[in-house]
Amino acid sequence: TKEGKSKSNKHEAKFMAALCRYFILQGYKREQITVLTAYTGQLFQLKSEMPKDFFSGVRVCAVDNFQGEENDIILLSLVRSNEEGNIGFLQIENRVCVALSRAKKGFFCIGNISLLETKSDLWKGIVNNMRQRGNVGDELVLACPNHPQNVTHASCAADFKKVPNGGCSVPCATRLDCGHVCHMLCHPIDPEHKEYECQK
């Protein structure tokens, strides 16, 4: 979608917000996560999908403003999905270099890869390299940390609702010190239930 002179992509913004929330539910600190995009229109879209009451501490930033910085987890929204014309900012090599090289522990990117590789030799090489490593797909595979046999496939924001607490859909049911059981669905955070307050 055109946002004035810029562009936004609602599907990607919703997916990135859901993925960011998922990482927080795995126990990552909000300060460890940065969400990047090449477009200011997408910056506003991302901020509207990421309310401060939950996401405060997560940095949402334009690629140009993140030069020389890094973080543990980088989530990159590429936005462009229009087959007409060129791919704008995404064909400028130093911007691409900054966008792809800021992560210390994990890098997750959402975008129209088939469009990028047809419009740019730079992206064609990058995508080929990622494919050889098995790092390109139509979805993310989320394995529950507590029940690894339970796997969720996420290709849109709604898919993350199947893992509401970051684990899976199995009830926790851990026996608490008070004698009651945890009423939550599977959750990776606070497995000893030191922070959990009994609902009974």
Side-chain angles (χ1 to χ4, degrees), residues 46-115:
L46 285 161
K47 287 182 177 179
S48 74
E49 298 291 342
M50 298 172 70
K52 285 194 174 176
D53 61 334
F54 184 83
F55 291 99
S56 182
V58 174
R59 185 157 176 205
V60 182
C61 183
V63 170
D64 286 349
N65 295 335
F66 207 64
Q67 289 192 44
E69 297 187 57
E70 58 184 10
N71 207 347
D72 288 335
I73 296 174
I74 299 293
L75 310 180
L76 174 65
S77 171
L78 294 172
V79 181
R80 287 296 264 247
S81 198
N82 187 345
E83 308 264 335
E84 299 168 13
N86 62 39
I87 54 171
F89 288 138
L90 299 179
Q91 61 192 356
I92 300 171
E93 288 192 18
N94 66 329
R95 277 198 174 110
V96 174
C97 179
V98 170
L100 300 183
S101 62
R102 304 294 98 190
K104 291 195 272 185
K105 291 184 178 175
F107 174 73
F108 296 81
C109 171
I110 183 171
N112 187 333
I113 298 294
S114 56
L115 170 70

Side-chain angles (χ1 to χ4, degrees), residues 20-28 54 163-166 187-189:
C20 183
R21 182 179 182 279
Y22 179 79
F23 279 121
I24 292 166
L25 293 173
Q26 301 308 305
Y28 288 96
F54 184 83
V163 291
N165 299 320
H187 53 96
I189 292 180

